[in-house]
Amino acid sequence: MMARVLVLIGTKKGAFIAESDERRQTWSLRGPFCNHWPIHHLVADSTTGAIHGAGGNAWFGPAIWTSHDLGETWSHSSQGLAYPEGQEPVAAAWSVEARDGELLVGVQPAGLFRSGDGGETFEHLSGLRDHPSRPHWNAGGAGLILHSIVRDPAAPDRIWVGISSAGVFYTGDGGKTWEPRNRGTRADFFPEGQNYPEFGQCVHNIVKAAGAGDRLYQQNHCGMYRSDDGGANWQSVEKGLPSSFGFPVASHPRDADTAWMIPLNGAEQGRYVPDARAAVWRTRDAGATWQDLRDGLPQENAYFGVLRQAMATDRLEPAGVYFGTGSGTLFVSADEGESWTAVAEHLPTISSVETLAVD
């Protein structure tokens, strides 16, 4: 049976789902869902088939939205998604990782919650906020947000999170204890001589490479990086890229040496694609060299950015690559980035893009 490919799109005004068959040539679009809430991250649990959306803001409050029928109907819950009385309240859920009915949820202000019942109830994994560095964490431009959650597929207790602006933290015991893993990543906004601190980096996004190794890729406020030892050490891979600033990164589903990034022109230069000419940059050798992929992308007057969770791949052959822009366009490549097509336009600002393939 031919696979159905779903692209899960979180936006500032609800969730959308684009759908195609395995050829990925013709697409339909459904939505908006989730009562037009801001949905910062929309993901699927590939085991249960449930779709979960991390959403909310200071007005709505935080919640995880859930659909068990591929988006036809939705419910939401915030039960337990709160800090103890007297602490700054949780303003929004910003990221979610789902596996076998268990959810990890990153929130603002930065912290991590767990649900063991598919998003019905939540418990705070307090070990992260109990880390001695916590009083020194500073908010990034959008606030103090835990926006990236990476879980080792082979060892679920091994988890990496990205926090702006605290850096990357790692746990090997399911969230009881944590350690910063930022060695080799810069913090250019710190005073001279303090540019490589133990924590405090403004990490933008981290993903795990394919396979059994510990390779990670990262886009950062101050550079693009690769780690081959689970974040214990990072090395710059920005040589050959047009900028050292960007947000999203996506890894190949089968090849650990292949990844895609979308550099922007800089933190203080408008944060749009360099020269207003859109390109996705791909490496086939773990960041040693990069190739700009432009076929089908606008090459003039492209003043858009791409947010940290707004790029993803699928698991088909060849791998599909997807990204959504701040101006509401979803671009699709069915050939690993060689060519691109805009399959949805004029959506609200796209916050996240993820995929799900179903029979």
Side-chain angles (χ1 to χ4, degrees), residues 50-73:
I51 298 173
H52 302 283
N57 57 22
W59 176 262
F60 289 106
I64 295 298
W65 289 78
T66 297
S67 174
H68 293 286
D69 51 16
L70 301 181
E72 296 298 326
T73 60

Side-chain angles (χ1 to χ4, degrees), residues 149-190:
I149 305 172
V150 175
R151 202 170 198 178
D152 189 334
D157 282 347
R158 303 182 70 222
I159 304 164
W160 296 262
V161 299
I163 302 172
S164 294
S165 309
V168 175
F169 284 76
Y170 166 79
T171 178
D173 55 17
K176 298 181 182 67
T177 60
W178 296 80
E179 62 182 64
R181 289 204 167 180
N182 301 291
R183 187 179 297 117
T185 56
R186 303 191 309 275
D188 295 339
F189 41 81
F190 277 22

Side-chain angles (χ1 to χ4, degrees), residues 16-334:
F16 295 79
I17 298 176
E19 185 171 333
S20 184
D21 60 28
E22 64 186 14
R23 291 186 294 262
R24 296 160 291 178
Q25 300 300 311
T26 303
W27 293 84
S28 61
L29 184 70
R30 295 183 282 133
F33 305 118
C34 307
N35 289 354
H36 300 93
W37 277 39
I39 299 298
H40 306 294
H41 196 200
L42 189 69
V43 307
D45 185 327
S46 60
T47 305
T48 68
I51 298 173
H52 302 283
N57 57 22
W59 176 262
F60 289 106
I64 295 298
W65 289 78
T66 297
S67 174
H68 293 286
D69 51 16
L70 301 181
E72 296 298 326
T73 60
W74 295 82
S75 62
H76 71 282
S77 175
S78 60
Q79 186 175 342
L81 205 58
Y83 293 136
E85 186 175 353
Q87 296 187 20
E88 183 179 355
V90 175
W94 271 86
S95 54
V96 59
E97 194 273 353
R99 182 189 308 178
D100 298 325
E102 182 182 33
L103 277 61
L104 295 175
V105 177
V107 303
Q108 176 189 9
L112 189 66
F113 287 76
R114 175 189 175 273
S115 172
D117 54 14
E120 294 290 334
T121 62
F122 302 89
E123 60 175 336
H124 180 213
L125 299 181
S126 60
L128 180 61
R129 285 172 63 88
D130 289 342
H131 191 271
S133 66
R134 173 63 186 89
H136 307 287
W137 296 357
N138 293 309
L144 185 61
I145 296 169
L146 195 159
H147 50 67
S148 296
I149 305 172
V150 175
R151 202 170 198 178
D152 189 334
D157 282 347
R158 303 182 70 222
I159 304 164
W160 296 262
V161 299
I163 302 172
S164 294
S165 309
V168 175
F169 284 76
Y170 166 79
T171 178
D173 55 17
K176 298 181 182 67
T177 60
W178 296 80
E179 62 182 64
R181 289 204 167 180
N182 301 291
R183 187 179 297 117
T185 56
R186 303 191 309 275
D188 295 339
F189 41 81
F190 277 22
E192 186 175 354
Q194 302 177 37
N195 303 123
Y196 289 88
E198 182 183 13
F199 60 89
Q201 287 85 345
C202 190
V203 55
H204 283 173
N205 188 234
I206 52 173
V207 297
K208 193 175 187 301
D214 271 355
R215 176 170 292 170
L216 302 169
Y217 292 99
Q218 176 186 162
Q219 283 221 71
N220 190 288
H221 193 99
C222 306
M224 318 300 193
Y225 301 95
R226 187 191 82 231
S227 172
D228 294 326
D229 54 12
N233 298 277
W234 295 89
Q235 63 184 57
S236 171
V237 294
E238 61 200 57
K239 183 178 180 181
L241 292 171
S243 167
S244 61
F245 178 90
F247 285 96
V249 55
S251 58
H252 194 281
R254 292 171 293 277
D255 180 8
D257 289 342
T258 297
W260 295 264
M261 292 185 179
I262 304 179
L264 303 182
N265 63 349
E268 299 175 359
Q269 288 75 41
R271 301 191 178 196
Y272 54 82
V273 290
D275 303 317
R277 299 174 58 237
V280 175
W281 292 76
R282 182 183 65 199
T283 181
R284 295 289 200 188
D285 52 17
T289 61
W290 294 90
Q291 176 188 8
D292 56 325
L293 308 171
R294 301 179 182 271
D295 185 12
L297 297 178
Q299 294 304 293
E300 60 180 5
N301 299 324
Y303 294 98
F304 61 72
V306 181
L307 296 177
R308 66 180 89 249
Q309 302 283 20
M311 184 164 64
T313 57
D314 64 31
R315 303 193 65 81
L316 277 63
E317 178 64 52
V321 189
Y322 308 81
F323 73 91
T325 72
S327 51
T329 300
L330 175 68
F331 287 98
V332 170
S333 172

